[in-house]
Amino acid sequence: MKTKYAYLALMSLLFLTACGQKKNQTVKAANAANVISKPENPYYSNTDTTKLNLSDAEWKKILPEDVYEVSRHADTERPFTGKYWNTNDKGTYYCAACGNKLFRSTAKFSSECGWPSFFEQDNKNSVVYKNDNSLGMERIEALCGRCGGHLGHLFDDGPEPTGKRYCMNSVVLDFIPDSK
């Protein structure tokens, strides 16, 4: 299995060397309830699950460039460069574009592929899917269930109990650690 991940990482490097990763905008905890606040993005909420349908121009105005390129144009950060690919902190991962709750750290695992990997989503509506036949491959694209933003891809080579690997881009994830 490690060979498969090494192959994926190598292929990703070949295809994505032009894709850089910039520093993501700072996320601030608004209160003790760990509510994220992004005043520059009026659509960001980690409690509202209302579907968003914004124009590309509107997304471009409110998202940092790196988040915009990955979320709205299915760009990909280089493997082993994202801030969450090799972390074990306990907490919750949210969509960096809209604040939708996506994954719990208890579903995160070390896949050695260079991107954060999870074996299950937070709930059945948090992530949605579509077929992706780009780059000469057949894959399943994982999208935010609230804003439709590109998160990464879903593969069938993950651990039990699901056998799934949600291979996500760190730049489109916000993380709130569990309260101590």
Side-chain angles (χ1 to χ4, degrees):
M1 187 177 289
K2 287 186 180 183
T3 304
K4 189 185 305 183
Y5 293 128
Y7 174 76
L8 286 172
L10 178 61
M11 291 304 296
S12 298
L13 282 172
L14 292 173
F15 286 117
L16 306 170
T17 53
C19 301
Q21 177 185 351
K22 299 176 185 172
K23 288 186 179 177
N24 194 1
Q25 66 188 27
T26 302
V27 177
K28 298 177 182 177
N31 57 34
N34 284 334
V35 174
I36 297 174
S37 174
K38 291 189 179 187
E40 64 280 358
N41 180 347
Y43 307 104
Y44 193 97
S45 171
N46 66 343
T47 57
D48 185 357
T49 58
T50 305
K51 297 271 190 218
L52 295 173
N53 188 18
L54 305 177
S55 69
D56 189 63
E58 182 66 17
W59 283 118
K60 189 168 184 139
K61 281 194 271 183
I62 62 175
L63 295 177
E65 184 180 351
D66 54 352
V67 175
Y68 170 77
E69 288 302 326
V70 173
S71 177
R72 307 325 303 175
H73 291 215
D75 201 355
T76 302
E77 64 193 6
R78 288 179 290 186
F80 307 102
T81 64
K83 59 187 170 185
Y84 301 124
W85 82 269
N86 195 26
T87 62
N88 295 314
D89 297 338
K90 301 298 180 210
T92 305
Y93 292 86
Y94 297 85
C95 175
C98 72
N100 188 38
K101 186 176 179 183
L102 301 170
F103 304 100
R104 293 281 306 146
S105 61
T106 53
K108 191 172 187 288
F109 69 99
S110 177
S111 68
E112 301 178 16
C113 69
W115 292 277
S117 297
F118 303 86
F119 60 81
E120 70 182 347
Q121 60 196 55
D122 180 65
N123 68 66
K124 66 180 179 141
N125 298 318
S126 60
V127 179
V128 296
Y129 315 95
K130 79 175 191 179
N131 290 330
D132 176 4
N133 296 315
S134 65
L135 303 177
M137 297 180 263
E138 290 183 23
R139 300 178 291 175
I140 299 172
E141 182 178 11
L143 305 162
C144 173
R146 181 169 183 242
C147 71
H150 174 79
L151 301 169
H153 290 88
L154 177 65
F155 300 98
D156 288 324
D157 59 1
E160 294 300 326
T162 65
K164 301 292 184 190
R165 175 171 55 99
Y166 293 79
C167 185
M168 304 291 100
N169 289 283
S170 289
V171 73
V172 292
L173 299 175
D174 284 337
F175 177 75
I176 296 181
D178 289 340
S179 298
K180 295 184 178 192

